[in-house]
Amino acid sequence: MELKALKTFVEVVRQGGFSQAAKVVFATQSTVSKAIKQLEDELGLPLLDRLGHKSRMTAAGEIVYRRAIRLLAERDDLQAELAELRGLKRGVLRLGLPPIGSSTLFAPLFAFYRQLYPEIEIRLVEHGSDRLSEMLAAGDIDFAGLLPPIAEEFAAQIVRREPLMALIAVDHPLAQRETISLAELRDTPFVLFEAGFALNRILREACRRNGFEPVVAARSTQIDFIAELAGAGLGVAFLPRMIATQRTQVPISLVLLDEPETEWTLAMAWRRGAYLSPAAAAWLRLVRERDVAS
């Protein structure tokens, strides 16, 4: 049963006849008559009792008319809702971001996105890169902020590249250096993030290339706490430069890490070939257009 046929039937009833209904639906009278006949054949009951040039509804016609009014109203509501979605007057954006760097990089972008699309709901989760990869693969989020290497199943847009800095106590023997290598820190305990943070993997792989496994003094998910532990002399911590230089409230030395393949790179990733809702497509367009790397 086609909605177009129901629309034609409703107009025949409203207009009181086939000729007037034909003008409303922009069809010939014979086309209207044919549509009503096909609808009656499909339902197996007459819908109209034809009396000369006029028609009145049968009992079956009254039932179909009531139902058709509701269906057509639902159709109109559906079209209006989809139009609002296309116009970004409603919708949901599901983002997964890592705690490291997100506030610095994305807070201004969130504000601008909200300014452009105030009716879009933003659902944000924060996890380490490994957990975010799992959520993205499962379709639980539209985008994830990930550190390379990024799985082949994802497409990605690089957002920011930053060198790492070592955070060490001011009285550490190497505190006054301008640069430092991991080999020079092999006897210093490490203060790392909890499991699931890709930064840990980057550091461990670099340590293994230098022939040692780091001794882990403590772990945390809190950037400020990690910086304070390093400042207190518990061990050395590592943060991207843009994050490390914000830790001005902690008495600590910041030394550039001179180590190949340890650059911190954040990418915005999404499932390759997956459908992106209008809200998600608008976010990706904004990430590409806005310079969040500066």
Side-chain angles (χ1 to χ4, degrees), residues 73-287:
E74 286 291 333
R75 188 272 313 269
D76 292 342
D77 289 345
L78 173 61
Q79 290 178 336
E81 191 168 335
L82 291 175
E84 286 187 349
L85 188 65
R86 286 191 293 269
L88 292 170
K89 292 183 178 179
R90 66 170 65 192
V92 177
L93 175 64
R94 305 173 302 162
L95 286 177
L97 296 177
I100 304 175
S102 293
S103 59
T104 301
L105 289 176
F106 295 111
L109 205 60
F110 277 143
F112 188 63
Y113 185 87
R114 177 65 70 184
Q115 180 182 348
L116 292 176
Y117 314 113
E119 303 301 321
I120 299 296
E121 177 188 353
I122 300 176
R123 297 178 185 171
L124 177 64
V125 295
E126 287 188 297
H127 290 289
S129 189
D130 293 347
R131 174 58 181 145
L132 290 178
S133 293
E134 296 173 0
M135 295 182 68
L136 185 60
D140 295 332
I141 50 180
D142 300 314
F143 295 99
L146 302 180
L147 272 63
I150 295 173
E152 184 63 28
E153 63 185 305
F154 302 141
Q157 171 74 37
I158 298 297
V159 174
R160 184 77 170 236
R161 289 187 175 93
E162 285 281 321
L164 291 181
M165 300 201 78
L167 286 67
I168 52 181
V170 293
D171 59 353
H172 191 282
L174 302 173
Q176 303 308 313
R177 296 278 296 276
E178 291 186 3
T179 63
I180 198 170
S181 68
L182 282 177
E184 295 173 290
L185 293 169
R186 66 186 306 152
D187 295 325
T188 302
F190 282 21
V191 180
L192 297 178
F193 285 90
E194 292 286 1
F197 283 71
L199 182 56
N200 292 352
R201 182 178 66 248
I202 292 172
L203 290 168
R204 286 189 177 278
E205 290 175 355
C207 289
R208 287 167 185 158
R209 289 195 296 271
N210 281 277
F212 74 98
E213 286 287 337
V215 175
V216 179
R219 295 179 182 271
S220 176
T221 60
Q222 303 299 315
I223 295 176
D224 287 338
F225 187 47
I226 284 176
E228 289 171 2
L229 290 176
L234 191 66
V236 58
F238 301 90
L239 289 174
R241 180 172 56 190
M242 68 171 186
I243 306 301
T245 54
Q246 295 175 351
R247 314 269 75 82
T248 56
Q249 72 278 17
V250 180
I252 199 169
S253 291
L254 306 178
V255 184
L256 187 65
L257 183 63
D258 184 12
E259 193 68 45
E261 300 181 46
T262 56
E263 185 179 55
W264 181 84
T265 301
L266 182 64
M268 187 62 61
W270 63 98
R271 286 178 295 142
R272 192 180 298 277
Y275 167 73
L276 292 178
S277 69
W283 171 258
L284 181 57
R285 186 165 57 251
L286 199 60
V287 169

Side-chain angles (χ1 to χ4, degrees), residues 26-52:
F26 303 102
T28 64
Q29 183 172 338
S30 62
T31 299
V32 171
S33 297
K34 183 178 179 180
I36 299 302
K37 180 64 167 59
Q38 289 176 341
L39 185 59
E40 289 176 327
D41 290 345
E42 183 178 355
L43 296 174
L45 290 168
L47 303 179
L48 295 170
D49 186 6
R50 296 159 178 80
L51 302 171

